Amino acid sequence: MYILGIESSCDETAAAVVSDRKEILSNVIYSQIEEHRPYSGVVPEVAARAHLEKIDVMVKKALTDANLSLDDIDAVAGTCGPGLIGGVIVGATFAKSLAFAKKIPFIAVNHIEAHALSVRLTEDIEFPYLLILASGGHCQICVVHDIDHFQILGQTLDDSVGESFDKVSKLLGFGYPGGPIIEKLYHEGDKDKFALPKPMCSKGNCDFSFSGLKTAVLNASQKCVSSQDKKDLAASFQKTVAEIMSFKMKQALNFCFDQEIKINAAVISGGVAANLVIREGLKKTCGTVPFFVPPVKLCTDNGAMIAWLGAEKFRRNEFNSLDFQPRPRWPLGDQI
Ligand code: KG4
Ligand code: ZN
């Protein structure tokens, strides 16, 4: 069975074909980074227009790369939220139109749930598993009991972790997108030069807060005189975030142990999971608990994760009608 997945919730126009046997037949991504770079962040209207321009090209390429035609596709899965609503509408409408024209099922996918389940596309992980979901818009820790059952253990009280990478990069003058830039600077700077705060890390819960850390970076940046000082500050920020993530993973592992929730694995997914410094820290923290991360290409936004959640839902005959409304906000596990 072949599922076509379409993603357009932020600044990537992506399409992929995935089979229920976990084969990724194609996975194409058009990144809008160059369109948004002059603004040092994603501009919703610019994003929506760029999706509209590229979506047909990307879907066609996904089919060509997979060596398939639309007649071979069994269902179309489209991101229907959460995200920047203009872009979501473009992708969801395109996905619905294909399903309508080919008389095949349409599956409305929650982008965050797709990140949460993406690791099952490349690894054989059974439910339940512990998950840190760390992206540009979200930062949550949960136990994933099933494709539609998420037990939230904690979440950010302010910025998401990806947002904090992006804001810190911008305020230090390193530009957009912040995550990969800061990760690179970690290797060029002195990670021990600045002692930065780790908000919420004296508390034994699984909530996060990043705005105080960002303010501390802002204050420290005013004392930076050379560009090397700024690199050192970026490196110190990266180190601090990795330590925060490890601390919170430990809290969550302890919670599962205390509550006798028998998790099969610990996972991090979402764009920030592409960060190798954070991955290494988490792997150490997990000790004997098997630790998994999707491949880097499946951490940031992509169509394969949308198609894969489509495949998981197809197996359960979970389809949606064509009047499904795109949602700018759509919490994890909200079944509508
Ligand atoms: O999952 P994603 O592609 O989009 C959302 O659903 O938000 O995540 C994007 C976020 C951005 O904030 C970006 O800076 C961050 O993921 N990111 C990273 C890395 N690559 C992307 N953060 C840290 N290190 C990276 N290597
Ligand atoms: Zn995402």
Side-chain angles (χ1 to χ4, degrees), residues 111 115 135-137 162-163 165-166 178-180 183 270-272 274-275 299-301:
H111 178 91
H115 274 304
S135 71
E163 203 176 350
F165 270 100
D166 295 335
E183 181 176 8
V272 178
N275 189 290
C299 289
T300 45
D301 290 350

Side-chain angles (χ1 to χ4, degrees), residues 283-322:
K283 191 167 170 40
K284 273 192 207 134
T285 303
C286 287
T288 55
V289 176
F291 172 67
F292 295 99
V293 195
V296 168
K297 211 171 172 210
L298 297 185
C299 289
T300 45
D301 290 350
N302 64 87
M305 69 178 191
I306 306 301
W308 174 248
L309 183 48
E312 298 245 32
K313 288 179 173 247
F314 192 106
R315 256 204 300 260
R316 296 164 188 230
N317 288 321
E318 283 183 27
F319 305 119
N320 296 94
S321 77
L322 295 178

Side-chain angles (χ1 to χ4, degrees), residues 201-273:
C201 285
S202 54
K203 295 196 177 157
N205 67 23
C206 297
D207 287 332
F208 298 87
S209 166
F210 290 101
S211 71
L213 173 59
K214 179 195 64 195
T215 306
V217 172
L218 177 64
N219 292 338
S221 74
Q222 280 149 7
K223 290 172 211 135
C224 289
V225 284
S226 66
S227 68
Q228 187 58 44
D229 284 346
K230 285 194 175 175
K231 286 184 183 175
D232 295 343
L233 185 50
S236 303
F237 169 77
Q238 163 73 81
K239 177 189 139 190
T240 306
V241 172
E243 287 174 355
I244 293 171
M245 303 310 274
S246 287
F247 180 87
K248 292 298 171 178
M249 178 64 99
K250 188 85 199 137
Q251 298 303 316
L253 288 167
N254 289 344
F255 177 87
C256 291
F257 184 76
D258 291 347
Q259 301 291 314
E260 297 182 9
I261 303 170
K262 300 217 173 341
I263 51 161
N264 291 304
V267 172
I268 180 167
S269 67
V272 178

Side-chain angles (χ1 to χ4, degrees), residues 191-203:
K191 63 182 182 351
D192 300 315
K193 173 101 170 261
F194 293 87
L196 296 169
K198 288 180 233 163
M200 313 279 297
C201 285
S202 54
K203 295 196 177 157

